[in-house]
Amino acid sequence: MLRQQRSVARHATRHPCSLNAAVRHSSAVARLHSLRQAGAQRQYLSPLRRSPSTTQTRAAAPTTASKTKKDEIEGPSTDISVIYARLQRLVLPYWMEEPSARWRLAGVVGLTLATTGVSVWFNFLGRDFYNYLSEKNIDAFNMQLIKYFASFGIGIPVFVFKGYYQQRLALEWREWMTAHLLKQYFADRSFYQLQAGAIVDNPDQRIASDVRQFTDAALGLSLTILNSLIDLVSFSGILYSIYPPLFAALLAYSIGGTVGSIALGKSLVGLNFRQEAVEADMRYGLVRVRENAES
């Protein structure tokens, strides 16, 4: 590469009119050399997302199999198989390498089950409370009021501890995942390959920001789904015992709302991906302006 650049420089000195062409040729050679270096270490970069520009330049895949493999690591996707493959690479390492994290997760799941039990208990308390109130049964009403206050003293700490340990677990997961990605980021000068090959847009900001969003959303969504399924099983019997047609109507309404939300939300995946990239570019530009404020 150095011999080519020297040859270009001598040619430009002898023929000044071709200086612009020589500069363009030298830039193209340097760019090709950097891209070849970037391709040599792609195996270190699997957990990181690639920029949309890189995805577009490599859209012409030679075979269907290579295109499927490329889609598993690049860009936004609503394909369940792609999402599952990505979650395996990002989620499993922490829970497999940290045994104590599994115990903490089991504790959070237990507290989640306890919150469902508290909700069901308050549902029965409320039923008896309003029944005694409508019957004007003063003695039973006073006893039910005492049970209500006692249940508040037991139920509120369960919800508070559940939220506290869930956020703490998400923070510990974020700390581990950030250190894991930084280790890959600095290994074998991968940060240079990312910059030279434009493989990922703003990787430093993505490690700092996206890891927090991922850990909070993954843990919170998983526990929310678990809690919702338990609530569905727990309260279905209560609703069905009150009025079966009401239970059927609510079940149909919830299924229809879920299907509609999924259909409408698919288009938001790409928009959210693009929004994060644009915001990261803006922050990067503002940092450059501040660093060069005195120039």
Side-chain angles (χ1 to χ4, degrees), residues 109 112-113 116 221-231:
V109 171
T112 302
L113 298 177
T116 301
L221 181 60
S222 300
L223 294 176
T224 299
I225 293 175
L226 175 63
N227 196 15
S228 299
L229 291 176
I230 297 173
D231 287 343

Side-chain angles (χ1 to χ4, degrees), residues 141-216:
F141 175 80
N142 291 333
M143 181 58 65
Q144 196 68 15
L145 194 60
I146 295 174
K147 291 181 180 179
Y148 240 122
F149 285 118
S151 299
F152 278 126
I154 299 175
I156 292 178
V158 173
F159 282 90
V160 173
F161 281 123
K162 184 257 183 182
Y164 168 75
Y165 284 109
Q166 177 181 338
Q167 293 179 7
R168 180 176 176 178
L169 182 59
L171 183 61
E172 293 173 350
W173 186 11
R174 176 191 177 187
E175 181 181 4
W176 184 92
M177 192 172 185
T178 300
H180 180 70
L181 290 178
L182 285 177
K183 183 179 179 181
Q184 291 185 329
Y185 185 61
F186 291 112
D188 300 308
R189 294 179 58 83
S190 297
F191 58 89
Y192 173 76
Q193 306 300 333
L194 290 170
Q195 181 67 24
I199 300 174
V200 178
D201 57 286
N202 305 289
D204 48 355
Q205 298 183 53
R206 294 198 176 278
I207 293 176
S209 177
D210 287 10
V211 171
R212 175 183 61 82
Q213 297 181 14
F214 173 76
T215 53
D216 290 345

Side-chain angles (χ1 to χ4, degrees), residues 49-74:
R49 295 182 300 183
R50 298 185 177 181
S51 60
S53 59
T54 308
T55 305
Q56 293 175 359
T57 56
R58 301 180 183 181
T63 61
T64 304
S66 62
K67 183 177 180 181
T68 304
K69 185 177 181 180
K70 174 180 72 65
D71 290 339
E72 292 180 355
I73 59 176
E74 296 182 1

